[in-house]
Amino acid sequence: MRIAVLYICTGRYNQFFADFYKSAKKYFLNEIANIEYFVFTDDEQLCSDTDIHIIKKECNGFPLDSLMRFDDFLSIKSQLLCFDYTFFFNANMKLLHQSD
């Protein structure tokens, strides 16, 4: 099974990506799926792991970055069509285990 994860982090929201990514690698369906991350960001140096696709996105601030996210997602529609499932996570998301 192939899963695409969509994540937007521009401006100051870039600070949340490392914790999100670390928690997703630990807790998000990794044992049953091949997961690739599509990160819309203005920080081209955010991460260089092979399962992360950096999509350059200018920071337009709130509320435009939120309102226009579906336009951003549609800009990579052809890439997403080969995945079985697609998930979007907010920039301040962190996956936790019950004991954490």
Side-chain angles (χ1 to χ4, degrees):
M1 176 180 356
R2 295 189 71 208
I3 294 176
V5 170
L6 306 177
Y7 189 91
I8 300 172
C9 61
T10 58
R12 295 182 305 175
Y13 287 96
N14 291 342
Q15 68 183 321
F16 296 114
F17 182 73
D19 284 341
F20 164 76
Y21 181 66
K22 182 179 175 183
S23 70
K25 294 293 281 185
K26 188 172 183 181
Y27 296 123
F28 188 65
L29 304 174
N30 293 292
E31 293 153 5
I32 62 170
N34 176 20
I35 302 173
E36 295 184 38
Y37 299 82
F38 293 83
V39 182
F40 297 83
T41 183
D42 53 352
D43 182 356
E44 294 180 42
Q45 306 302 315
L46 189 68
C47 189
S48 62
D49 288 8
T50 58
D51 58 349
I52 297 175
H53 306 275
I54 299 291
I55 297 100
K56 186 164 174 50
K57 176 187 172 23
E58 185 178 320
C59 180
N60 294 309
F62 182 81
L64 279 180
D65 282 337
S66 184
L67 291 171
M68 302 305 291
R69 67 179 162 216
F70 297 106
D71 285 345
D72 294 334
F73 301 159
L74 285 173
S75 74
I76 61 165
K77 179 181 175 181
S78 63
Q79 291 174 271
L80 298 176
L81 287 173
C82 64
F83 289 87
D84 299 302
Y85 297 96
T86 301
F87 293 87
F88 166 68
F89 290 99
N90 278 332
N92 59 352
M93 177 68 170
K94 182 177 177 182
L95 291 98
L96 301 174
H97 187 270
Q98 239 177 333
S99 65
D100 288 347

